[in-house]
């Protein structure tokens, strides 16, 4: 009877052990075809590419910067205006006539001899003014080029945001997978420890173990439950982060895959690519171009400017308020302005622009150094994750063998209950570490691809329509008028 019951216990223990091993493999290895409604890592990233608010906000910022180009072009475009005015005017007019003789005659006749009259008029009129700047010291030309450099810098910043969203999305996806597997492992661990506690209590009844062994088994179960609840809380946090980045609740997530096939084979080649292609570097160099052009715009204030102006005016009742009077004028004038000295503000602006150019160049150097460090760090983390998986697999296999041996030895009294519990905990820790290493490898591969500037929807071949920022600039670059945006707002 005792032998049969012990045999049943052994079968139960083996069953729980096998289930725990399968749970660890669920993290990254697909063992069966995924259901039709399953979410893959790439489909989740495609969802984030479409709907993430941070990325859409960055795209909107690029469209805002696009409008700087037509604003700068307005400097050499013609300007026209119409002015109209109307009102009422009271005028009193006195015109003296003759010398002293006429004054005396006027006095004798009771008249002053002067012409006096009052008028109430309603002056009104319109004026059409046309002006065209012919030369402004190259300020408009350089302002347009400066605006275009700002647009290119904004596009690079948008690419940085895209990389961050894709990398954060991959991290959130793998965190949910990892925490789901950890919850499963810890739940299975509770079942195994519950079975161990039952066996210990049975052995205590027959006098094979002491009350201390039972208490140790009970403490292990209580600790396992506490760790299970903590794992559940961590999973909920990861699911909330997933919802924030991806825009949907995580359901039926498929195993993730590493991007190592897309990475350069050597770190040196990765660094060379990153120093040229990384959006942070390209944004910094576009900002240098914009700062250099800002210096030229400021220097244009010292150059002469040339413009022509035409004006047509038609006025009524405007001559001394006389009713019925009419005045028509038409004029065309050229204006040449040669600045000599304007208080020194333009010189201060030039010096300031040059200092900002130096600052932009230093920022470019800083970005290159930062990108280089990021590549080295991400490649190091990827290497560490790969090595951790190899050692983790070996650790799981060794821990499984050790646990089986400790259990057999405990049956013949060579091991205590504490030894069995410690071996079970060691196996659990090894499985959790393996799941974590599998997650770290995928996340590190995304970080490495992002560190060289190639983490994009195009590079990942996401099933999305790639956003083209150049289309909006093309639509507004030469637009002279219009209130609606290209998308009809």
């Amino acid at each position: 009877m005792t032998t049969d019951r012990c045999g049943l216990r052994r079968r139960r223990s083996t069953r729980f052990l096998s289930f725990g091993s399968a749970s660890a493999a669920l993290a990254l290895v697909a063992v069966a075809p995924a259901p039709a409604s399953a979410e893959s890592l790439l489909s989740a990233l495609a969802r984030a590419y479409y709907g993430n608010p941070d990325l859409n906000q960055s795209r909107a910022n690029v469209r805002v910067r696009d409008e700087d180009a037509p604003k700068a072009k307005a400097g050499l475009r013609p300007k026209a205006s119409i002015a109209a005015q109307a009102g009422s005017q009271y005028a009193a007019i006195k015109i003296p006539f003759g010398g002293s003789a006429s004054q005396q005659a006027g006095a004798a006749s009771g008249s002053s001899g002067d012409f006096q009259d009052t008028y109430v008029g309603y002056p009104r009129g319109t004026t059409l003014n046309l002006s065209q700047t012919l030369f402004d010291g190259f300020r408009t030309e350089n302002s347009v080029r400066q605006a275009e450099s700002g647009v290119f810098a904004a596009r690079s910043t948008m690419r940085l945001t895209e990389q961050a969203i894709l990398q954060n999305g991959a991290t959130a996806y793998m965190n949910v997978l990892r925490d789901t597997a950890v919850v499963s492992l810890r739940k299975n661990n509770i079942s195994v420890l519950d079975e161990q506690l039952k066996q210990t209590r049975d052995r205590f009844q027959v006098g094979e173990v002491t009350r201390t062994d039972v208490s140790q088994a009970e403490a292990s179960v209580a600790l396992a439950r506490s760790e299970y609840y903590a794992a559940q809380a961590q999973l909920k946090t990861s699911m909330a982060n997933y919802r924030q980045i991806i825009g949907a609740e995580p359901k039926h997530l498929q195993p993730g895959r590493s991007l190592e096939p897309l990475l350069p084979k050597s770190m040196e080649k990765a660094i060379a690519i990153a120093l040229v292609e990384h959006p942070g570097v390209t944004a910094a160099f576009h900002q240098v171009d914009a700062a250099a052009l800002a210096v030229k715009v400021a220097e244009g204030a010292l150059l002469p400017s040339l413009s022509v102006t035409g004006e047509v005016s038609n006025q009524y009742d405007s001559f001394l308020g006389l009713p019925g009077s009419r005045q028509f004028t038409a004029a065309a004038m050229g204006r040449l302005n040669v600045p000599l000295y304007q208080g020194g503000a333009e010189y201060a602006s030039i010096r300031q622009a040059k200092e900002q150019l130096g600052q932009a160049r230093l920022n470019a150097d800083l970005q290159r150094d930062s990108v280089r460090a990021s590549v080295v760090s991400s490649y190091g983390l990827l290497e560490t994750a790969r090595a951790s998986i190899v050692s983790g697999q070996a650790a799981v296999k060794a821990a499984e063998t050790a646990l089986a041996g400790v259990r057999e030895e405990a049956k013949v009294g060579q091991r205590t209950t504490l030894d069995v519990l410690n071996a079970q905990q060691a196996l659990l820790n090894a499985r959790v570490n393996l799941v974590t290493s599998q997650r770290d490898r995928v996340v590190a591969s995304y970080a490495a691809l992002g560190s060289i500037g190639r983490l994009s929807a195009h590079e990942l071949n996401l099933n999305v329509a790639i956003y083209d920022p150049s289309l909006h600039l093309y639509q507004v670059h030469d637009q002279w008028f219009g209130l609606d945006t290209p998308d009809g707002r």
Side-chain angles (χ1 to χ4, degrees), residues 168-284:
N168 292 340
T171 302
Y173 186 100
M174 296 307 300
N175 285 349
V176 172
L177 281 180
R178 176 201 62 193
D179 295 339
T180 301
V182 170
V183 167
S184 178
L185 286 171
R186 295 202 179 279
K187 183 178 181 181
N188 177 71
N189 186 52
I190 294 175
S191 301
V192 173
L193 292 178
D194 279 338
E195 181 66 18
Q196 180 69 38
L197 176 59
K198 291 178 182 178
Q199 293 179 9
T200 304
R201 285 172 176 171
D202 290 343
R203 296 176 66 189
F204 174 72
Q205 293 295 330
V206 297
E208 293 182 4
V209 295
T210 65
R211 169 58 66 179
T212 301
D213 295 295
V214 176
S215 299
Q216 289 172 339
E218 291 173 343
S220 296
V221 172
L223 179 60
R225 293 186 185 278
S226 176
E227 292 175 341
Y228 172 69
Y229 297 142
Q232 282 186 319
Q234 180 60 46
L235 176 59
K236 291 179 180 179
T237 300
S238 297
M239 293 175 69
N241 291 335
Y242 181 99
R243 174 65 178 81
Q244 179 182 4
I245 298 171
I246 304 300
E249 296 294 338
K251 296 180 180 179
H252 308 296
L253 301 187
Q254 296 182 22
R257 294 183 179 179
S258 173
L259 298 181
E260 292 169 73
L262 300 179
L263 295 174
K265 300 304 180 182
S266 66
M267 187 170 63
E268 290 73 17
K269 186 176 181 180
I271 292 175
I273 294 174
L275 295 180
V276 176
E277 298 184 13
H278 194 276
V281 174
T282 57

Side-chain angles (χ1 to χ4, degrees), residues 34-54:
S37 60
E39 181 90 282
S40 69
L41 176 52
L42 295 184
S43 66
L45 295 182
R47 193 190 300 271
Y49 183 82
Y50 272 127
N52 186 270
D54 193 13

Side-chain angles (χ1 to χ4, degrees), residues 52-391:
N52 186 270
D54 193 13
L55 183 53
N56 287 330
Q57 179 186 10
S58 183
R59 291 166 180 162
N61 179 65
V62 175
R63 295 193 293 271
V64 172
R65 297 276 69 82
D66 287 344
E67 297 291 351
D68 289 339
K71 285 172 61 177
K73 282 192 170 185
L76 288 180
R77 287 176 178 171
K79 298 174 178 61
S81 63
I82 295 179
Q85 66 275 352
S88 61
Q89 180 177 348
Y90 170 83
I93 302 176
K94 179 179 180 180
I95 303 177
F97 290 99
S100 58
S102 63
Q103 292 174 357
Q104 292 174 1
S109 63
S111 174
S112 65
D114 297 339
F115 173 78
Q116 301 183 35
D117 201 358
T118 59
Y119 299 94
V120 177
Y122 299 94
R124 58 200 181 277
T126 56
T127 302
L128 172 65
N129 186 280
L130 300 173
S131 64
Q132 173 65 59
T133 301
L134 302 178
F135 180 74
D136 63 353
F138 305 107
R139 279 178 287 181
T140 296
E141 178 185 354
N142 289 322
S143 294
V144 172
R145 294 169 58 195
Q146 180 187 12
E148 291 173 345
S149 294
V151 169
F152 297 147
R155 289 182 187 178
S156 295
T157 302
M158 183 193 70
R159 281 279 296 109
L160 272 177
T161 304
E162 178 185 344
Q163 287 204 156
I165 294 303
L166 294 177
Q167 183 174 339
N168 292 340
T171 302
Y173 186 100
M174 296 307 300
N175 285 349
V176 172
L177 281 180
R178 176 201 62 193
D179 295 339
T180 301
V182 170
V183 167
S184 178
L185 286 171
R186 295 202 179 279
K187 183 178 181 181
N188 177 71
N189 186 52
I190 294 175
S191 301
V192 173
L193 292 178
D194 279 338
E195 181 66 18
Q196 180 69 38
L197 176 59
K198 291 178 182 178
Q199 293 179 9
T200 304
R201 285 172 176 171
D202 290 343
R203 296 176 66 189
F204 174 72
Q205 293 295 330
V206 297
E208 293 182 4
V209 295
T210 65
R211 169 58 66 179
T212 301
D213 295 295
V214 176
S215 299
Q216 289 172 339
E218 291 173 343
S220 296
V221 172
L223 179 60
R225 293 186 185 278
S226 176
E227 292 175 341
Y228 172 69
Y229 297 142
Q232 282 186 319
Q234 180 60 46
L235 176 59
K236 291 179 180 179
T237 300
S238 297
M239 293 175 69
N241 291 335
Y242 181 99
R243 174 65 178 81
Q244 179 182 4
I245 298 171
I246 304 300
E249 296 294 338
K251 296 180 180 179
H252 308 296
L253 301 187
Q254 296 182 22
R257 294 183 179 179
S258 173
L259 298 181
E260 292 169 73
L262 300 179
L263 295 174
K265 300 304 180 182
S266 66
M267 187 170 63
E268 290 73 17
K269 186 176 181 180
I271 292 175
I273 294 174
L275 295 180
V276 176
E277 298 184 13
H278 194 276
V281 174
T282 57
F285 280 117
H286 286 309
Q287 290 167 355
V288 171
D289 293 339
L293 290 165
V295 174
K296 294 183 178 181
V297 172
E299 291 174 344
L302 301 178
L303 298 177
S305 60
L306 177 64
S307 62
V308 293
T309 303
E311 183 176 284
V312 177
S313 177
N314 198 9
Q315 307 290 331
Y316 296 90
D317 292 2
S318 62
F319 181 71
L320 299 178
L322 293 176
S325 64
R326 179 175 181 271
Q327 181 181 1
F328 176 81
T329 59
M333 295 174 289
R335 178 183 177 87
L336 175 65
N337 180 47
V338 180
L340 298 178
Y341 184 72
Q342 300 173 341
E346 65 275 21
Y347 298 105
S349 297
I350 294 172
R351 295 193 301 270
Q352 184 182 49
K354 289 182 177 179
E355 292 294 346
Q356 291 172 339
L357 174 59
Q359 181 184 16
R361 287 171 174 165
L362 292 173
N363 180 63
D365 293 337
L366 176 63
Q367 290 299 322
R368 289 168 63 89
D369 292 340
S370 177
V371 166
R372 181 189 297 272
S374 178
V375 172
V376 174
S377 175
S378 61
Y379 266 69
L381 292 175
L382 182 58
E383 290 292 336
T384 300
R386 282 200 294 252
S388 297
I389 290 176
V390 175
S391 60

